[in-house]
Amino acid sequence: MEISRFEPLDVRTIPPTVRHATIFGIIEQLQPGTAFCIVNDHDPVPLRRQIEARYPGAYVWTYIVEGPHLWQVAIERTDHAADHRTEEPSDGCGGHGEGNHCTCGS
């Protein structure tokens, strides 16, 4: 896995209403076999669910650091990313339930 030279992206500095859109804009530009890392103050499970729903099998998610105060994740594009784009799930980021951290702004 080749990690982007612009690493890591501290998503805590991105307004929540555009955070996921910013990340999707970056991962859609990755070449197969490349990755980039994000840093967050919570486990970004809702983002992972949204990526897996929109692009099934197209990206690999690897934890670099797993809390409790900081999470760093590498998101790697597979060879199939362009073939797996689906519509955005109807439930948004998947983080709207109790105890979840919504970052989509809905």
Side-chain angles (χ1 to χ4, degrees), residues 29-70:
Q29 299 302 311
L30 290 175
Q31 296 300 311
T34 62
F36 90 108
C37 294
I38 60 169
V39 172
N40 207 348
D41 59 2
H42 65 272
D43 189 351
V45 171
L47 174 65
R48 182 179 191 170
R49 279 188 248 142
Q50 194 174 19
I51 289 171
E52 289 172 351
R54 289 179 75 170
Y55 313 98
Y59 294 92
V60 176
W61 183 276
T62 305
Y63 285 98
I64 308 298
V65 177
E66 291 188 70
H69 304 290
L70 184 80

Side-chain angles (χ1 to χ4, degrees), residues 15 21-22 26 33 37 40 43 54 59 73 76 83 92-93 101 104:
T22 300
I26 294 169
C37 294
N40 207 348
D43 189 351
R54 289 179 75 170
Y59 294 92
V73 176
E76 179 182 3
D83 301 333
C93 73
H101 300 279
C104 75

